Amino acid sequence: MAANSSNSIVEYFGGGDGYRCGYCKNEKGNFSHGMWSHAMTVQDYQDLIDRGWRRSGKYVYKPTLNKTCCPQYTIRCDPVKFQPSKSHKKILKKMIKFISKGELPKGPGEPGEPMDSVCEESGARQPSIKMPKSAITDIQKEALECPAITIVKRNEADTTPTGSELPRKDPGSVLDRRTTPAPKPGIGSDPNRPPCRKAKDLRKERRHQKEQLKHSIVGVFATLITSSPPSTPTNQPKALEDFLTETFADSSSHCLEAKYSADGPEMGYGSFHQQYWLDGQIVAVGVIDILPTCVSSVYLYYHPDFASLSLGSYSALREIAFTRKLHKQSPKLSHYYLGFYIHSCPKMRYKGQYRPSDLLCPETYVWVPIEQCLPHLESSRYARFNQNLDEGDAQVLKDVGRILVLHRRTVMPYTVYSRKRKGSSDETEVQEFASLVGQNCAERILLYRA
């Protein structure tokens, strides 16, 4: 049986030695298992993140929580029941003030909010969701739709003073306007006006300018990055510089495979970009994955000149609103995944402020309200959240022989492959892979074997 495009295909790298932690800077304290996804369906990735996996471009990894120095727990928020905190309202008011008055707040953004903010990894470019300035500023209609939030819409009418608000005119300027001679009739068009151009040409020029802006802002972001990408795949998350290169590549091979469903959202499932534009300038890009039951926030990068606007938290509020909108189209799409919650790292605890939220139990893979998890994390970095000791992993590996293997372009069960294999047995590694992804995924995902 040959592999087809409906199968996920992965190459498992195993665990290996510890590497440098980006949170506590421990040189050998970070441990994880990783695999390279040559192809990944949205359903398989949905099942993987519900078992604690996370993707960085095409690299998919699962932290070893009972061993790593800073355990990373998958966190999700219920967007339908979401209630903004005082901090969230403050961020929205700050954005309103900037949009209505053009005043950038002084100093950095919200304390504890790193540049990666809600999102940690990079994703893909196509298809993209273009968010023009009107979409950013008019967040009454879409953003949050939750009580106690008032958003001011800024448009041309808002900037026009009326009635008693009319500013005083300088007498000199009024006189100058009155004495300026108007063109005399009958002598042709006003030479001061630009020549007329076709609408088609104007649209092409605007598209070209936006493409130039995209590539120029990548250059700005790239100057902030000093790490170099590894020359060969490893079991470590990729550097941000890799993501910037991949995100703006012409090829969409690094995306999740797009899928359309009659009962799904209008744009389908897959990897998307949300572009934030302001006065013709792209100021931020949020990478998200739209999956069968959730919107997963992958990464956010933004222009450093706008860091004081707390764009990380603001984009999370926008993505929560976007998830609400998709939930109306597809009720089963009901959660917003913020990536990892790291209680041992104070600057990453802000993700727990998006309530109500749940953390994923690292042993039974059931969701537990964060309020019940925090007392355990206060006493121990690693904790089992599900306190029912009789419950275990519902997808525990039961039959290694049913694992699907891709060998020499042929799909076969592991039992068949093991009989054909020459050399030492790889059953221990295959069992480890299957136990991490679960029995169901192991029977769907094709494990590449050389």
Side-chain angles (χ1 to χ4, degrees):
M1 180 173 65
N4 57 66
S5 59
S6 63
N7 287 109
S8 298
I9 304 174
V10 301
E11 188 173 355
Y12 182 61
F13 296 140
D17 299 329
Y19 54 94
R20 187 175 187 271
C21 176
Y23 302 103
C24 70
K25 312 306 179 186
N26 187 323
E27 291 297 330
K28 295 291 183 179
N30 203 348
F31 293 86
S32 67
H33 295 82
M35 56 189 181
W36 191 262
S37 61
H38 296 276
M40 180 64 68
T41 67
V42 291
Q43 184 59 60
D44 286 340
Y45 186 59
Q46 175 73 71
D47 292 343
L48 286 175
I49 63 174
D50 284 334
R51 291 185 63 83
W53 291 83
R54 189 83 177 155
R55 79 178 184 90
S56 300
K58 297 181 74 171
Y59 183 81
V60 188
Y61 67 100
K62 176 180 169 61
T64 310
L65 299 190
N66 60 355
K67 190 177 180 181
T68 191
C69 55
C70 296
Q72 305 164 50
Y73 299 94
T74 304
I75 183 172
R76 72 178 186 181
C77 170
D78 186 338
V80 178
K81 299 178 181 179
F82 170 73
Q83 293 292 331
S85 66
K86 291 183 179 179
S87 175
H88 298 149
K89 295 176 185 178
K90 181 180 178 181
I91 291 169
L92 290 172
K93 289 179 181 178
K94 182 164 55 176
M95 180 64 71
I96 293 167
K97 184 176 181 180
F98 168 65
I99 292 174
S100 60
K101 299 182 180 180
E103 298 178 6
L104 270 174
K106 298 179 181 179
E110 290 297 301
E113 180 189 332
M115 183 173 180
D116 68 351
S117 188
V118 178
C119 327
E120 277 121 20
E121 295 83 38
S122 171
R125 177 186 179 195
Q126 297 293 338
S128 63
I129 302 173
K130 181 180 176 183
M131 299 185 67
K133 177 179 176 181
S134 59
I136 299 177
T137 58
D138 185 9
I139 51 182
Q140 289 185 56
K141 297 180 180 178
E142 175 185 345
L144 305 184
E145 299 177 354
C146 49
I149 294 185
T150 305
I151 308 300
V152 176
K153 177 180 177 181
R154 178 176 183 257
N155 52 30
E156 294 301 324
D158 295 335
T159 59
T160 305
T162 59
S164 60
E165 297 179 357
L166 285 172
R168 294 183 179 180
K169 301 292 193 301
D170 178 23
S173 62
V174 175
L175 180 62
D176 292 341
R177 283 201 299 271
R178 290 179 178 177
T179 57
T180 300
K184 295 181 180 180
I187 61 173
S189 60
D190 186 352
N192 295 324
R193 296 185 62 183
C196 295
R197 300 174 61 187
K198 292 183 178 180
K200 181 178 180 182
D201 295 335
L202 292 173
R203 288 194 296 270
K204 286 184 178 179
E205 182 177 338
R206 283 195 292 267
R207 282 197 297 268
H208 179 65
Q209 290 174 348
K210 288 182 179 180
E211 287 298 321
Q212 288 182 323
L213 282 170
K214 289 180 185 178
H215 292 284
S216 65
I217 199 168
V218 171
V220 175
F221 296 145
T223 60
L224 304 177
I225 310 304
T226 57
S227 58
S228 300
S231 57
T232 58
T234 67
N235 66 326
Q236 303 181 16
K238 301 173 71 180
L240 173 59
E241 190 173 18
D242 287 2
F243 306 151
L244 294 176
T245 303
E246 289 186 348
T247 298
F248 287 90
D250 293 332
S251 172
S252 61
S253 60
H254 58 287
C255 307
L256 296 177
E257 291 190 3
K259 179 183 177 181
Y260 296 89
S261 174
D263 59 349
E266 294 177 357
M267 70 285 298
Y269 303 109
S271 302
F272 295 82
H273 263 185
Q274 287 189 316
Q275 302 172 1
Y276 294 80
W277 291 80
L278 184 67
D279 295 330
Q281 180 184 13
I282 186 170
V283 298
V285 178
V287 184
I288 62 172
D289 292 331
I290 300 179
L291 304 175
T293 64
C294 76
V295 169
S296 176
S297 187
V298 183
Y299 204 86
L300 173 83
Y301 44 97
Y302 53 82
H303 197 294
D305 290 350
F306 298 91
S308 59
L309 289 173
S310 304
L311 290 177
S313 297
Y314 175 74
S315 67
L317 298 173
R318 297 282 314 175
E319 289 168 1
I320 289 174
F322 181 63
T323 308
R324 279 189 173 184
K325 179 180 178 181
L326 296 185
H327 174 70
K328 294 179 180 179
Q329 301 175 12
S330 179
K332 64 179 181 179
L333 202 159
S334 57
H335 286 93
Y336 171 66
Y337 285 45
L338 296 90
F340 289 133
Y341 173 81
I342 308 171
H343 192 77
S344 60
C345 181
K347 72 176 184 179
M348 298 302 291
R349 293 184 183 182
Y350 74 95
K351 296 187 179 184
Q353 298 174 1
Y354 297 85
R355 303 288 181 93
S357 57
D358 307 309
L359 296 183
L360 186 67
C361 177
E363 296 182 11
T364 62
Y365 302 109
V366 298
W367 294 97
V368 181
I370 193 171
E371 293 84 0
Q372 299 177 23
C373 303
L374 295 181
H376 300 291
L377 295 177
E378 288 293 337
S379 58
S380 174
R381 290 194 175 193
Y382 174 78
R384 171 188 167 121
F385 301 137
N386 184 357
Q387 297 305 298
N388 186 347
L389 300 181
D390 294 331
E391 290 188 19
D393 180 7
Q395 292 297 320
V396 66
L397 178 63
K398 299 174 183 176
D399 186 356
V400 66
R402 299 179 63 180
I403 299 172
L404 285 185
V405 171
L406 177 63
H407 178 60
R408 294 183 178 178
R409 299 187 179 183
T410 304
V411 178
M412 63 189 76
Y414 181 74
T415 50
V416 177
Y417 162 76
S418 60
R419 291 196 296 266
K420 295 183 177 181
R421 176 181 171 82
K422 298 179 181 180
S424 59
S425 173
D426 62 351
E427 184 171 342
T428 300
E429 180 181 289
V430 173
Q431 283 183 333
E432 181 183 67
F433 158 79
S435 65
L436 293 171
V437 303
Q439 183 75 41
N440 284 353
C441 280
E443 294 180 16
R444 292 198 312 262
I445 297 176
L446 305 184
L447 177 62
Y448 173 77
R449 300 277 89 182

